[in-house]
Amino acid sequence: MKIIIRCILDKIFTAITWLTVFVIVILLLLILGPILSRGTNAVVFRDTIEFRKMQMALLNRGNETNLTAEISEIAPVRQKVYDTINKFKSGIDTDALTEQVRKIYRDCGQELSYKKLTPQQYTETRSLLKDIRDRLQTAFASTDKVQIAKCTSFVMGYADDERFKGTSAGDFFRIAADFQKAVEKIDFAKHLQYVQAVGEMEDLLTQLLGPRPGEALPATAMNQFGATRWDLAEKLMDNLLWKEQWVSQKSGKSLVKIRTERAKEFAGTEIEPLFGYIKDNLEKMLKPQWRFYWQYFIDDSTPGHYFGGIGPEILGTLLLTLLSMVFVIPLGIISAAYLTECTTDNFVVKIIRMCINSLAGVPSIIFGLFGLAFFVLFLLPFLGFSSKPCILTASLTLSILTLPVMIRSSEEAIKAVPLTYKEASLALGASNFKTFMSVTLPAAMPGILTGVILSISRVAGETAPILFTGAVALGPVPSSIFHSTRTLSYGSYDMAVGDRLAAMVPHNQYGMVATLVILVLCLNTSAIILRSRLFKKLHGH
Amino acid sequence: MNDSQINQVLSPTADVKHQPLVLSYGQGLGNFLSLYVGRTILFLITCTSVLSVLLIFFFIIRESLPFLQKFNLTEFLTNTGWYPQAEKPQFGALALIVGSFYVTAAALLFAVPTGILAAVFLSDIVSFKIQTFVKPVIELLAAIPSVAYGFFAIMVLAPWMQRKLGFTTGVNALNASFVLAVMALPTIVSVAQDSISAVGRELREASYGLGATRMETVFKVVIPAAHSGIIAAIILGMMRAIGETMVVWMASGNASQIPHPWWDLSQSIRTMTATIAGDMGETAKGSDHYRSLFTIGLLLLIMTLCLNLLSEYFLTQAAKKSGIRK
């Protein structure tokens, strides 16, 4: 009986360990999955015509004639939307109308003064004009349909008046007629709501389709174009169709999100069918295409990474990595050679080893502090350079950080070289130095290379040490090693916690970190493969 | 035979004075140079790491010393108010120290059982083939940059926690310690596995021979025999967690407070590393605030060095026991 329980317990234990490892593997997939899958989205995606416009305008990339043809193709489809909105606004946007009427009144008054009129005629016409203007303004301000009808019909009564022939007063009558027509369909109780809703709708349309043709271009690049990606366009379309609101249900309870159809706000007006029209014709208005945007890895970006790629970040990471490798590879190999070949385990070596181990255990942020205090604030001014964080200080800091990794792996590699190799060389009369350079080092090279690759991957991924020693979130591409640089690691941090702008381009957030992760994982995988090959070679299997 | 006769035998033309046939090392000029001068140069280069450690200590102490002279160390260690930018600044780092230990402890709570079970799995349960598949997975887990973990914590895990677990904020101690646990796992697994594998076959076979099941063998024989290495693994995992910056900076919420009640992991906290990383950008060089951050750094440095020495002690213990020379 007891044996059965023990056996069952044993099986359960085995199952639990299997489960644990299974969970670890799943965790790896869970962490890498979203980063890699959504990161791919930054490079392979469906672009829209706005993307092609942006590429043409900012980078002069693409086929101009094709683009012009496409733009003229989509123009009528879009124009219909704008026309409908304009027409609707002519009834409800009374502030704009009032403004318009005032302007016409001024223009018309000037025109009258050029006409050859007797003073009396002039005064009469002028006062009539003023009367018309006031009536129209009353009509715009009113919410009573009868009163509006009275005012507009009063104005319309002068439509064929000889005195106004050939002046801009004709616009008065057009506006009055339009307004009269529009008012008949409007529910005046909802007037203000309409104004607000149309405003929101126009904002969303600008985000979706870009500024209207003929409108002045906004100053910032991000506002000059509509949705450049189809997934973004679909999200904006969803926003356009559905209005999201946070409503408190009961006091003390957390807010609840509800979605209402935006079309319902315009029930009974000509805007209502417009939503269906936009939804059905979105593809015609934006012309999505699949695109492999490999330039993502070389393009510079507009501020906040709204458009463009991560070229400067990749360049910065490469610069930092290469420069720190220049420092750390010779240091690491020489130290390892000394520790393995030249000494026995005496007291001094024990201290050196202890220091290497301690260095490996120092938290990365301490390296950042040290880099700031020593390289930036002490060494640079000491050598006569200006004391500011730059690529040089960052890579020096990183090289100290990765020194223990380099020393340890080189040491392992040198130790793994069979003693017979060395003995054979020494027996042939080669000196110690010669033996090391032409026998031990080449034999240990794959192992050292593994160490180098691991160091590179460590350096490329570290963020904390370069926070204060040379990394910036935004800035120009560095022109020398005495400038600070953007890096993938710091960029990933900045995009993740960054401003509102970064949150609007999730594909860029994920794209940056995915690039970093892929870079590091490729390096590590190659190190693992190299090491297993070396293991087989040295053990003769 | 006397000496001259021997010389006659060794070199037939012995009248001329010449070098002995076998030179001891260091007698020729080239050898002398390569032996002493070359070695000295190599030794000096090797000392870079020693120099680095010394410089790190020197500069961190140099920057934090004025702060320690100006302010009371006991107050720094026992006050919970961290208001360095206030009109009357307060530098009480207790909440930060507690925060660091809090997330580390919580992370170890997840990571230690999982790590040891995985180590046992790798050394005692599966065949070599599965081992070669699982080990790289764990190594990849160690290779992922910390900023990518932080990214995952803030972009994926935090919204999920807020949505599914109903926390008021997704960036909290639970989030940070969970991700830290994943980061500490590879260290714990690999060090623990080394020491568990080093426990001799004889011990296991003796245990099986007495009729113990595998579970009993693992818990009553293998793990007690490998305890030094496992302790070292835990300490190394702890060092990884306590020194980690990016993840806690991004995922812990950065609210300088001690959680109340103490077991409530869903509250935001702030750690020492995150404070250094977050505040350094806003301080003027040489100000009290700047120096206080270096003081926190010094504290962190001393703590990790102590932990490091402790782990080395346990590792040498483990090495002695298993008879393997490091």
Side-chain angles (χ1 to χ4, degrees):
Chain A
M1 222 26 220
K2 220 180 156 211
I3 292 175
I4 293 178
I5 295 175
R6 281 168 61 198
C7 283
I8 292 174
L9 279 178
D10 184 48
K11 291 274 182 278
I12 292 175
F13 171 70
T14 312
I16 289 176
T17 54
W18 271 95
L19 192 73
T20 315
V21 173
F22 188 65
V23 165
I24 294 177
V25 176
I26 293 290
L27 273 178
L28 180 74
L29 294 180
L30 272 182
I31 291 172
L32 290 183
I35 290 180
L36 294 186
S37 66
R38 298 188 68 175
T40 322
N41 215 3
V43 181
V44 182
F45 59 95
R46 287 181 88 183
D47 69 350
T48 65
I49 186 158
E50 297 297 319
F51 183 81
R52 302 193 277 277
K53 272 196 220 168
M54 180 266 286
Q55 291 271 303
M56 178 59 79
L58 298 183
L59 298 156
N60 201 19
R61 190 183 285 158
N63 189 330
E64 192 151 15
T65 46
N66 279 0
L67 186 63
T68 328
E70 275 181 335
I71 290 174
S72 54
E73 203 178 311
I74 58 161
V77 191
R78 289 185 176 191
Q79 195 55 44
K80 203 180 158 199
V81 177
Y82 296 139
D83 285 346
T84 317
I85 292 177
N86 282 347
K87 204 168 154 201
F88 181 70
K89 269 169 73 181
S90 71
I92 60 146
D93 196 356
T94 48
D95 285 348
L97 285 173
T98 313
E99 198 56 42
Q100 214 178 339
V101 164
R102 278 191 192 142
K103 188 170 173 287
I104 297 170
Y105 171 72
R106 277 197 302 275
D107 291 351
C108 203
Q110 272 183 346
E111 281 163 15
L112 281 183
S113 59
Y114 294 127
K115 274 193 171 183
K116 285 174 183 143
L117 294 173
T118 60
Q120 198 195 354
Q121 271 176 327
Y122 177 79
T123 335
E124 260 177 35
T125 325
R126 187 81 202 223
S127 66
L128 183 60
L129 213 54
K130 196 173 176 203
D131 198 19
I132 288 174
R133 186 198 70 176
D134 289 346
R135 295 259 178 166
L136 274 178
Q137 283 183 357
T138 327
F140 296 152
S142 166
T143 53
D144 180 9
K145 282 192 183 179
V146 185
Q147 200 190 356
I148 292 173
K150 244 195 234 168
C151 293
T152 46
S153 55
F154 171 84
V155 175
M156 298 292 280
Y158 293 96
D160 301 324
D161 199 305
E162 281 296 319
R163 283 170 289 184
F164 299 131
K165 279 275 151 64
T167 62
S168 41
D171 288 344
F172 276 147
F173 310 122
R174 192 180 46 74
I175 288 172
D178 281 353
F179 188 63
Q180 178 60 37
K181 239 189 271 170
V183 158
E184 277 159 19
K185 290 188 216 151
I186 290 177
D187 182 359
F188 262 103
K190 289 185 175 172
H191 184 259
L192 276 176
Q193 278 181 30
Y194 280 149
V195 175
Q196 204 193 346
V198 162
E200 278 175 24
M201 188 184 167
E202 281 195 298
D203 279 349
L204 281 168
L205 267 181
T206 317
Q207 282 180 38
L208 185 63
L209 304 176
R212 292 188 184 195
E215 221 172 68
L217 275 185
T220 49
M222 61 170 284
N223 295 330
Q224 286 172 4
F225 306 95
T228 51
R229 302 163 54 93
W230 184 244
D231 50 1
L232 184 64
E234 278 179 330
K235 208 166 101 190
L236 285 169
M237 190 64 225
D238 189 64
N239 279 353
L240 191 66
L241 291 177
W242 299 91
K243 190 174 184 175
E244 277 183 6
Q245 277 169 311
W246 291 90
V247 182
S248 63
Q249 286 187 316
K250 284 175 198 165
S251 59
K253 288 251 175 133
S254 58
L255 298 177
V256 182
K257 187 166 78 175
I258 54 162
R259 279 157 67 91
T260 50
E261 228 177 319
R262 219 178 268 272
K264 285 213 176 110
E265 293 182 346
F266 296 100
T269 64
E270 60 261 67
I271 298 280
E272 195 186 2
L274 192 64
F275 288 98
Y277 173 81
I278 299 176
K279 195 184 172 195
D280 295 338
N281 291 294
L282 192 63
E283 291 213 19
K284 279 186 201 159
M285 286 194 268
L286 289 171
K287 292 210 163 276
Q289 274 176 10
W290 277 102
R291 175 176 284 266
F292 176 62
Y293 179 44
W294 62 269
Q295 291 100 332
Y296 184 72
F297 299 113
I298 54 169
D299 276 355
D300 199 349
S301 58
T302 57
H305 291 278
Y306 197 76
F307 295 135
I310 52 172
E313 277 82 5
I314 291 183
L315 181 74
T317 301
L318 287 183
L319 274 177
L320 278 188
T321 314
L322 285 181
L323 203 58
S324 53
M325 283 305 119
V326 167
F327 298 123
V328 83
I329 289 176
L331 268 183
I333 294 180
I334 292 173
S335 303
Y338 180 78
L339 287 177
T340 49
E341 299 285 321
C342 299
T343 58
T344 48
D345 260 4
N346 58 26
F347 181 67
V348 179
V349 172
K350 269 191 187 141
I351 287 184
I352 294 178
R353 279 189 198 281
M354 209 178 78
C355 281
I356 294 173
N357 284 341
S358 308
L359 207 57
V362 171
S364 53
I365 188 78
I366 301 290
F367 283 103
L369 283 181
F370 167 67
L372 176 70
F374 179 58
F375 293 124
V376 180
L377 297 177
F378 176 78
L379 198 64
L380 280 186
F382 185 75
L383 297 177
F385 298 106
S386 70
S387 157
K388 64 172 197 233
C390 61
I391 295 179
L392 183 67
T393 52
S395 42
L396 280 170
T397 312
L398 285 174
S399 60
I400 290 185
L401 168 92
T402 190
L403 190 60
V405 181
M406 194 63 224
I407 295 180
R408 279 177 183 176
S409 54
S410 312
E411 223 182 314
E412 297 277 313
I414 294 173
K415 269 187 197 163
V417 175
L419 202 62
T420 45
Y421 283 30
K422 244 185 286 179
E423 283 169 349
S425 165
L426 288 173
L428 288 173
S431 69
N432 267 357
F433 182 70
K434 182 81 181 155
T435 303
F436 182 77
M437 288 311 279
S438 41
V439 176
T440 313
L441 199 57
M445 217 55 211
I448 293 176
L449 203 63
T450 314
V452 172
I453 296 174
L454 287 180
S455 305
I456 290 180
S457 95
R458 176 98 197 262
V459 166
E462 275 296 345
T463 320
I466 55 173
L467 282 175
F468 331 124
T469 54
V472 285
L474 292 172
V477 179
S479 52
S480 79
I481 56 168
F482 294 102
H483 287 88
S484 52
T485 180
R486 300 190 235 165
T487 70
L488 281 174
S489 50
Y490 189 54
S492 304
Y493 161 75
D494 189 64
M495 292 285 279
V497 302
D499 41 15
R500 202 173 47 83
L501 216 57
M504 285 158 75
V505 281
H507 59 276
N508 271 352
Q509 293 178 308
Y510 281 93
M512 175 112 65
V513 77
T515 314
L516 178 65
V517 168
I518 289 174
L519 180 77
V520 168
L521 288 192
C522 282
L523 285 170
N524 271 279
T525 317
S526 57
I528 288 173
I529 292 171
L530 200 65
R531 199 175 46 201
S532 71
R533 277 199 186 169
L534 186 72
F535 185 80
K536 276 181 193 159
K537 196 176 131 196
L538 285 179
H539 289 71
H541 301 305
Chain B
M1 255 196 264
N2 58 25
D3 277 2
S4 61
Q5 278 172 319
I6 292 174
N7 267 341
Q8 281 285 299
V9 174
L10 281 175
S11 48
T13 52
D15 334 330
V16 198
K17 251 207 160 196
H18 66 91
Q19 290 184 336
L21 186 65
V22 180
L23 279 173
S24 72
Y25 219 80
Q27 266 176 301
L29 183 67
N31 282 344
F32 181 83
L33 282 179
S34 81
L35 187 63
Y36 293 105
V37 180
R39 278 189 187 197
T40 316
I41 293 172
L42 288 187
F43 175 74
L44 288 179
I45 293 174
T46 311
C47 281
T48 319
S49 10
V50 183
L51 187 72
S52 307
V53 174
L54 292 181
L55 279 177
I56 288 177
F57 261 100
F58 176 74
F59 273 90
I60 300 233
I61 290 174
R62 192 180 86 148
E63 296 292 327
S64 54
L65 210 54
F67 178 84
L68 289 174
Q69 283 165 345
K70 190 168 165 188
F71 293 86
N72 191 347
L73 181 66
T74 357
E75 205 197 314
F76 179 73
L77 292 178
T78 53
N79 191 353
T80 56
W82 180 259
Y83 306 110
Q85 304 278 37
E87 211 164 298
K88 225 181 139 218
Q90 279 191 49
F91 298 100
L94 185 62
L96 311 176
I97 298 168
V98 170
S100 270
F101 278 100
Y102 194 73
V103 281
T104 308
L108 289 183
L109 218 58
F110 296 121
V112 169
T114 324
I116 292 177
L117 280 180
V120 169
F121 174 87
L122 285 176
S123 63
D124 275 51
I125 295 200
V126 287
S127 62
F128 187 72
K129 260 195 177 156
I130 299 182
Q131 243 191 72
T132 48
F133 169 73
V134 175
K135 272 212 115 172
V137 168
I138 290 170
E139 275 175 25
L140 286 189
L141 221 47
I144 298 174
S146 56
V147 69
Y149 278 113
F151 189 91
F152 170 79
I154 199 170
M155 300 288 294
V156 183
L157 199 56
W160 183 84
M161 277 186 168
Q162 212 167 356
R163 228 175 26 243
K164 292 282 151 88
L165 304 184
F167 292 159
T168 42
T169 167
V171 282
N172 52 35
L174 181 63
N175 188 337
S177 28
F178 177 74
V179 178
L180 279 183
V182 178
M183 293 182 71
L185 253 182
T187 318
I188 295 180
V189 173
S190 64
V191 180
Q193 196 222 331
D194 284 347
S195 69
I196 289 178
S197 303
V199 172
R201 210 181 155 78
E202 306 82 23
L203 278 181
R204 289 193 174 91
E205 275 166 359
S207 169
Y208 287 133
L210 288 172
T213 61
R214 183 152 64 188
M215 185 182 95
E216 286 158 353
T217 309
V218 166
F219 279 116
K220 294 188 176 158
V221 177
V222 177
I223 291 185
H227 79 276
S228 313
I230 291 176
I231 292 173
I234 295 172
I235 295 173
L236 286 174
M238 190 175 173
M239 277 169 63
R240 177 96 205 250
I242 212 167
E244 178 48 46
T245 311
M246 297 314 289
V247 167
V248 287
W249 191 18
M250 289 160 96
S252 71
N254 288 333
S256 171
Q257 57 176 9
I258 295 173
H260 183 83
W262 64 269
W263 38 263
D264 189 4
L265 278 168
S266 71
Q267 291 184 17
S268 293
I269 47 122
R270 189 169 207 197
T271 68
M272 297 193 276
T273 49
T275 308
I276 299 173
D279 284 11
M280 189 51 92
E282 306 157 6
T283 59
K285 307 276 172 284
S287 62
D288 285 340
H289 188 190
Y290 167 86
R291 297 201 185 289
S292 71
L293 295 180
F294 272 90
T295 315
I296 296 178
L298 182 64
L299 197 63
L300 199 61
L301 185 60
I302 292 171
M303 278 192 316
T304 47
L305 275 182
C306 290
L307 284 176
N308 202 6
L309 291 180
L310 212 59
S311 78
E312 261 186 62
Y313 168 76
F314 281 110
L315 277 179
T316 33
Q317 287 289 311
K320 260 185 210 162
K321 252 184 210 157
S322 61
I324 295 169
R325 283 177 57 81
K326 245 186 88 183

